[in-house]
């Protein structure tokens, strides 16, 4: 009795069977397109030879079927041309020339030799925690990837497949871990070289690219036929979906089985590092990079920051204990000749993908180093948000005093009431008067003080809602203007600057505009109000209590008091924003030594 043993060949056979199913669908579509032509040929032959008799109906049928056949052939040719010419989506990445990373290329070649598979034609980096093989044999892709890289000026013709490596892996993982992680990915070049699998993949990629063509702006004469081809492409994609999924699963199973012979035990440890790297990368982007991007600054060493973020995560999380001890081994980024150059390029690409920033540095889009981050980003962010909060408060209508008479009662004139509301009581300090839009005649206008913010938000419950709504509207207006300016400067999709930097974009991927992958949904009005009040408190602490802006690798901007981070500010601020209760925040200010009546410097 024989036992069936699964191996790489089993997965390849399963993938090949599914690839043949995809090709059969392609053949069936071709047969449907040719069927009216075949019927027309039979009818024309029968009418010409007289086999159908002299009935007049046969002639009408011949001309009708012939016209239908010509129409169907024209539509089929249109679909075939669009599928053949449509450029498949291309993952944005930073190409790595061999002279810029000879050790990395040597590691990949060694893996391919040990696995007995073809060597990837090129290597590229992507700002994501993933690695894959990408076929870039399309002529348009080949032309794009002959662009010289700025690091070395060398050009490299496109080949298939290209090994795309997540740039955070190079900085966090050690060389042995990276080799174990890439083994199953490189092993996928074997099934990719199979003719049937390669043909099925080309067909599916062409359909996917053709389905995205109608979404691009076209003239009215071209929109209708392209919409038809898009529907046909989507119909064929739905027919191929299950077979394509099972084909890719078979390819992945075959590659994983073949890679078992290479560092299998170490690969389990590397997979644990993948999860940790993804967690640290996500926190670094959303908490640290995003505030800088919103201010027109982009951190130029994001991958190096991953190491600091994950080291901090290892220190705080019991489950990650021991991971930082690996840092004494050789990092995988040493396989690059100039790691800083590629870190900068990947950081700029990450800003484009996740935020939609410009393709190159400029006056309103400049790089920032980690040592400059507290002053250039954190302090400036607090000042700008505090200034925006005070602008909104200046535009608010004057709130009535708490002891205002009921409607219908005898009231003094409006000018007298407003003057009395803004005039402090006898003996009271000037800063203790109620804040308003304008001051009484002869009085000093209220300055940008924290006390003013506390009084306004705690004075009337409706003030918080109104301030939150106006802050949300102003932030949305600023972001809309920023997106419009970015669209005017870069246009849709890739730009000339992208090509100069060695980053290529596929039509189907960048057509929807940037960012392609927004990090998180817009903040609510209440969250914006809480952020702006926190910024005002931090400005007052820096100006009056000797505090300093700082950077927390996992939480982003931080307030440092006596060199230590204060993480207990959130709850008192929420009490003021949500409940209108300023007492917890006043107590916190007293503990830290902040003087809310002192004016602060705004951005």
């Amino acid at each position: 009795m024989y036992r069936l043993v699964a191996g790489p060949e089993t997965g390849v056979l399963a993938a090949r069977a599914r690839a043949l199913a995809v090709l059969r669908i392609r053949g069936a579509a071709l047969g449907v397109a040719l069927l009216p032509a075949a019927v027309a040929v039979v009818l024309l032959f029968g009418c010409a030879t007289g086999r159908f008799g002299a009935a007049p109906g046969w002639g009408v049928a011949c001309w009708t079927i012939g016209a239908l056949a010509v129409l169907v052939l024209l539509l089929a040719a249109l679909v075939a041309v669009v599928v053949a010419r449509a450029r498949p989506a291309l993952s944005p990445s930073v190409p790595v020339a061999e002279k810029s990373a000879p050790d990395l290329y040597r590691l990949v070649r060694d893996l391919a030799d040990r696995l007995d598979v073809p060597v990837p034609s090129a290597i590229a980096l992507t700002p994501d925690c993933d690695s894959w093989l990408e076929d870039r044999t399309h002529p348009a892709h080949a032309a794009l990837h002959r662009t010289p890289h700025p690091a070395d000026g060398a050009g490299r013709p496109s080949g298939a497949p290209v090994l795309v490596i997540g740039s955070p892996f190079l900085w966090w993982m050690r060389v042995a871990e990276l080799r174990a992680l890439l083994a199953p990915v490189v092993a996928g070049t074997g099934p990719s070289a199979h003719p049937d699998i390669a043909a099925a993949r080309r067909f599916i990629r062409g359909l996917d690219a053709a389905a995205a063509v109608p979404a691009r702006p076209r003239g009215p004469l071209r929109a209708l036929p392209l919409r038809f081809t898009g529907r046909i492409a989507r119909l064929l994609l739905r027919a191929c979906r299950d077979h394509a999924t099972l084909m890719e699963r078979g390819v992945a199973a075959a590659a994983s089985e073949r890679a078992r012979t290479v560092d299998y035990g170490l690969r389990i440890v590397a997979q644990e590092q993948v999860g940790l790297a993804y967690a640290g990368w996500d926190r670094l982007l959303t908490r640290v990079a995003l505030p800088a991007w919103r201010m027109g600054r982009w951190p130029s060493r994001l991958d190096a920051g991953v190491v600091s973020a994950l080291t901090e995560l290892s220190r705080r999380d019991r489950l990650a204990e021991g991971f930082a001890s690996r840092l004494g081994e050789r990092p995988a980024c040493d396989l690059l000749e100039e790691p800083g150059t590629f870190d900068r390029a990947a950081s700029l690409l990450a800003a484009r993908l996740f935020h939609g920033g410009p393709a190159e540095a400029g006056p309103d889009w400049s790089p920032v180093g980690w040592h400059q981050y507290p002053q250039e980003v954190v302090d400036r962010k607090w000042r700008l948000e505090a200034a925006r909060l005070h602008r909104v408060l200046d535009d608010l209508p004057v709130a009535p005093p708490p002891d205002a008479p009921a409607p219908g009662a005898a009231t003094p004139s409006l000018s007298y009431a407003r003057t009395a509301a803004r005039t402090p009581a006898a003996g009271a300090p000037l800063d203790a008067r109620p804040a308003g839009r304008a001051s009484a005649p002869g009085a000093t206008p209220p300055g940008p003080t924290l006390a003013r913010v506390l009084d306004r938000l705690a004075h009337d419950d409706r003030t918080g809602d109104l301030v939150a709504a106006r802050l949300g509207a102003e932030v949305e207006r600023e972001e809309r203007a920023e997106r419009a300016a970015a669209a005017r400067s870069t246009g849709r999709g890739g730009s000339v600057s992208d090509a100069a930097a060695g980053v290529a974009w596929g039509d189907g991927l960048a057509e929807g505009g940037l960012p392609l992958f927004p990090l998180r949904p817009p903040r609510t009005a209440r969250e914006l109000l809480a952020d702006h009040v926190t910024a005002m408190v931090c400005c007052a602490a820096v100006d009056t209590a000797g505090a300093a802006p700082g950077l927390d690798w996992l939480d982003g901007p931080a307030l440092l008091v006596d060199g230590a981070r204060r993480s207990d500010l959130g709850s008192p601020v929420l009490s003021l924003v949500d409940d209108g209760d300023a007492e917890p925040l006043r107590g916190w200010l007293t503990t830290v030594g902040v003087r809310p009546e002192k004016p602060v410097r705004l951005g």
Side-chain angles (χ1 to χ4, degrees):
M1 182 177 181
Y2 295 98
R3 183 178 62 181
L4 181 63
V5 179
E9 293 77 11
T10 305
V12 172
L13 290 176
R16 181 175 180 271
R18 294 299 174 177
L20 291 175
V22 172
L23 297 179
R24 282 195 295 270
I25 293 175
R26 184 184 66 177
L30 180 61
V32 170
L34 295 177
L35 181 60
V39 174
V41 169
V42 173
L43 289 177
L44 289 173
F45 181 80
C47 292
T49 58
R51 292 180 178 273
F52 293 155
W58 286 111
V60 175
C62 287
W63 287 106
T64 303
I65 298 299
L68 178 63
V70 171
L71 178 62
V72 171
L73 287 177
L74 289 177
L75 293 177
L78 173 65
V79 173
V81 169
V82 172
V83 171
R85 296 187 61 182
R87 189 165 63 186
L90 180 65
S91 301
S93 58
V94 179
V96 181
E98 185 170 358
K99 64 182 299 184
S100 298
D103 292 341
L104 181 59
Y105 273 84
R106 192 176 301 112
L107 181 146
V108 173
R109 287 198 193 95
D110 177 67
L111 272 178
D113 292 341
R114 294 173 63 182
L115 296 169
D116 194 21
V117 295
V119 181
S121 61
I123 299 176
L125 300 182
T126 180
D128 195 6
C129 292
D130 198 2
S131 298
W132 64 88
L133 293 172
E134 187 167 82
D135 186 3
R136 298 180 178 179
T137 56
H138 194 278
H141 293 169
L144 286 171
H145 279 269
R146 289 190 181 95
T147 304
H149 189 272
D152 49 28
R156 185 183 183 90
S158 175
V162 173
L163 176 60
V164 183
I165 306 175
S167 61
F169 292 159
L170 289 176
W171 270 259
W172 175 244
M173 290 189 171
R174 309 299 99 179
V175 173
E177 294 171 348
L178 182 68
R179 181 173 57 246
L181 183 69
L182 294 181
V185 183
V186 175
T189 59
S192 299
H194 196 282
D196 294 333
I197 296 176
R201 283 177 167 177
R202 283 195 301 269
F203 177 60
I204 294 172
R205 283 196 302 270
L207 292 177
D208 183 68
V213 168
R216 305 169 198 164
R218 306 285 184 182
L221 295 179
R222 301 179 62 185
L224 184 61
L226 290 179
R227 193 177 299 118
F228 170 77
T229 60
R231 290 184 177 180
I232 297 299
R234 285 190 292 270
L235 177 64
L236 293 176
L237 279 175
R238 284 194 293 268
C240 299
R241 179 175 53 194
D242 294 337
H243 297 298
T245 301
L246 294 176
M247 178 184 70
E248 296 300 337
R249 287 179 181 175
V251 170
S256 178
E257 188 65 27
R258 182 178 294 274
R260 279 179 173 271
T261 59
V262 178
D263 299 333
Y264 182 72
L266 187 58
R267 199 189 320 160
I268 299 176
V269 179
Q271 289 296 334
E272 295 178 353
Q273 300 302 321
V274 170
L276 188 65
Y278 184 84
W281 180 248
D282 180 71
R283 292 290 290 267
L284 186 72
L285 291 182
T286 56
R287 307 293 180 88
V288 179
L290 187 58
W293 292 340
R294 285 173 172 164
M295 297 178 55
R297 307 297 300 271
W298 53 278
S300 58
R301 300 297 303 274
L302 277 179
D303 291 313
V306 171
V307 179
S308 299
L310 293 177
T311 304
E312 181 66 17
L313 181 63
S314 302
R315 186 183 65 83
R316 297 184 190 180
D317 192 348
R318 291 188 302 108
L319 299 178
E321 288 181 359
F323 286 161
S325 61
R326 311 158 30 264
L327 299 181
E329 305 173 13
R330 185 191 182 194
C333 64
D334 281 356
L335 300 174
L336 304 173
E337 290 294 314
E338 298 181 2
T341 301
F342 288 99
D343 194 355
R344 182 184 178 92
S347 299
L348 183 56
L349 181 58
R352 298 216 70 197
L353 291 175
F354 300 115
H355 183 67
E360 58 185 359
D364 299 327
W365 185 246
S366 56
V368 59
W370 293 125
H371 62 285
Q372 302 169 328
Y373 188 94
Q375 289 296 330
E376 296 291 332
V377 176
V378 179
D379 187 75
R380 186 180 168 208
K381 171 181 179 293
W382 289 341
R383 306 289 177 181
L384 292 176
E385 291 183 348
R388 185 185 297 121
L389 177 60
H390 278 277
R391 285 200 306 269
V392 170
L393 288 177
D394 290 339
D395 293 336
L396 286 182
V398 178
D403 55 350
T411 58
S413 65
L414 182 61
S415 59
Y416 175 80
R418 288 184 176 176
T419 302
R422 295 191 185 96
T423 304
L430 186 61
D431 291 324
R433 65 179 182 274
R437 186 172 183 178
S439 300
T444 304
T449 63
L450 178 58
R452 180 195 182 198
V453 176
L454 299 180
D455 292 340
R456 291 300 298 269
L457 295 180
H459 176 67
D460 185 2
D461 295 337
R462 295 171 300 178
T463 302
D465 297 332
L466 187 57
V467 171
R470 295 198 176 190
L471 281 175
E474 184 168 346
V475 170
E476 182 180 358
R477 184 166 56 253
E478 292 175 358
E479 292 179 350
R480 187 165 52 246
E482 180 182 353
R483 287 193 298 267
R488 287 193 300 269
S489 62
T490 61
R492 298 176 64 86
S495 66
V496 177
S497 300
D498 288 319
V503 178
W505 301 77
D507 283 349
L509 187 62
E511 190 65 26
L514 297 172
L516 298 180
F517 312 106
L519 290 181
R520 60 183 179 184
R523 294 168 289 180
T524 64
R526 279 289 174 178
E527 291 173 342
L528 281 173
L529 178 57
D531 290 344
H532 283 69
V533 173
T534 301
M536 185 63 196
V537 172
C538 293
C539 290
V542 171
D543 291 346
T544 67
L551 169 62
D552 186 278
W553 290 108
L554 298 178
D555 295 327
L559 179 66
L560 303 181
V561 179
D562 296 331
R565 180 195 172 199
R566 293 300 297 255
S567 58
D568 55 347
L569 180 57
S571 180
V573 170
L574 290 179
S575 298
L576 175 64
V577 171
D578 294 337
D579 305 327
D581 183 9
E583 294 307 317
L585 184 54
R586 293 185 189 276
W588 187 92
L589 297 175
T590 302
T591 302
V592 177
V594 179
R595 302 185 61 182
E597 73 280 2
K598 291 291 185 179
V600 299
R601 178 176 56 87
L602 301 181

